[in-house]
Amino acid sequence: MKLRRILSSLSNLATEKLYFSSCPSRQIFTARSSSSQRNAGSNLSEALPGNHIKWASLGSVRNSRFASGFTPLQPKPLDSIMDLERAKTKSPEELTSIWDDYHLGRGHIGITMKAQVYRLLEQRAAECRYFAIPLWRGNGYVTMFAQVEAPHMIFTGLEDYKARGTQAAPYLTSTFYTELSETTDLVFIRGDVVFTSKLTDEEAKWIMETAQSFYLNDTRYKLLERFNKHTHDFEFKDVLQALDMPII
């Protein structure tokens, strides 16, 4: 099994080395009741179709306990976040600014990318679904394990996945919304930190952007291909070097 070989290649990896204003433009976003916020995460549990990793997901509910029950992954639809018809009247620049500002301080991460760029990411993710990303903290790093099944990207701690397998809860979920890609040339990306005890919002944004870079940068993508297709040739130190992190 490919995934087993990938995890085996990381078995000797030191995965944890710790030393330890209201804007009128926002009217395009829909109102969110407290009950809908509570219910949004309770419906989010397991994972993605096909023979891929299945993670128990808590979706957008933060500070919650691990959910042992499984239901299909059901992220918030874009039309429950913004008024799509009103959004079509805004320029791409306005939408990018509004989307980013809207998520500031709300416990979520908002990013946008060009539709053509997303199509490249989607194409490459279909061939290379898994990756390991070091997250630097203090004088060491923890390693995140990523799985992509467009339009979703899910992250958990590598040690948690190795220890709990399909019962490992995601630390972070990311959804790519393409509904307005034809009219605005934008894809909206929303990240939800599942456990704030595991990741800060700043760390989550860095992980999302770094993961995307390994799919979009040709040089970095070669490392991702090696990780998925030529596991025996993969060296984690090459990822550290690509990210200008010391090899420890």
Side-chain angles (χ1 to χ4, degrees):
M1 179 181 177
K2 180 194 295 185
L3 180 55
R4 186 172 301 169
R5 292 198 305 271
I6 291 172
L7 292 177
S8 177
S9 72
L10 297 173
S11 61
N12 296 321
L13 176 63
T15 57
E16 196 163 84
K17 296 184 179 179
L18 294 180
Y19 305 91
F20 300 79
S21 111
S22 175
C23 173
S25 298
R26 290 181 182 172
Q27 293 176 359
I28 68 172
F29 292 97
T30 60
R32 298 180 297 178
S33 67
S34 58
S35 61
S36 64
Q37 286 177 304
R38 288 193 299 269
N39 292 334
S42 63
N43 293 328
L44 277 165
S45 286
E46 166 181 55
L48 307 167
N51 297 319
H52 305 302
I53 308 173
K54 295 180 179 179
W55 286 325
S57 172
L58 296 179
S60 60
V61 173
R62 297 154 61 90
N63 304 318
S64 301
R65 294 182 179 179
F66 169 74
S68 58
F70 291 133
T71 58
L73 184 64
Q74 298 173 1
K76 289 174 68 69
L78 185 59
D79 61 10
S80 73
I81 303 173
M82 69 162 66
D83 183 330
L84 297 184
E85 291 305 313
R86 185 172 295 180
K88 292 176 182 178
T89 67
K90 304 293 182 181
S91 70
E93 293 75 19
E94 287 177 306
L95 287 173
T96 296
S97 177
I98 293 169
W99 182 259
D100 291 349
D101 290 346
Y102 174 76
H103 289 92
L104 287 176
R106 292 176 176 266
H108 308 290
I109 295 89
I111 305 173
T112 57
M113 70 168 48
K114 292 290 188 180
Q116 183 177 359
V117 175
Y118 172 72
R119 286 192 287 272
L120 175 61
L121 185 151
E122 185 179 40
Q123 174 187 341
R124 289 179 167 180
E127 297 184 3
C128 300
R129 302 187 186 278
Y130 310 115
F131 201 48
I133 300 172
L135 172 64
W136 191 260
R137 285 177 176 167
N139 296 317
Y141 58 82
V142 294
T143 302
M144 304 300 296
F145 189 56
Q147 175 193 334
V148 184
E149 178 77 20
H152 309 293
M153 192 175 288
I154 303 178
F155 305 86
T156 193
L158 177 61
E159 286 301 296
D160 276 356
Y161 184 77
K162 287 163 66 176
R164 299 180 177 87
T166 60
Q167 295 297 312
Y171 295 2
L172 169 67
T173 63
S174 178
T175 302
F176 296 78
Y177 295 100
T178 60
E179 288 89 331
L180 296 175
S181 61
E182 292 188 5
T183 56
T184 67
D185 194 34
L186 290 177
V187 171
F188 296 88
I189 310 165
R190 175 185 169 108
D192 293 294
V193 180
V194 180
F195 291 111
T196 54
S197 61
K198 300 288 189 180
L199 289 175
T200 67
D201 289 350
E202 291 75 18
E203 289 174 332
K205 184 174 183 179
W206 183 88
I207 290 169
M208 289 169 60
E209 292 177 339
T210 300
Q212 292 168 27
S213 76
F214 277 94
Y215 284 95
L216 300 174
N217 178 282
D218 290 342
T219 301
R220 290 188 175 187
Y221 181 64
K222 291 179 182 178
L223 294 175
L224 200 152
E225 278 190 307
R226 199 178 305 158
F227 184 85
N228 285 267
K229 299 179 179 181
H230 309 287
T231 308
H232 297 299
D233 298 327
F234 176 79
E235 294 285 348
F236 194 70
K237 66 179 181 180
D238 295 334
V239 178
L240 295 173
Q241 291 174 343
L243 295 174
D244 295 322
M245 292 184 181
I247 301 173
I248 56 177

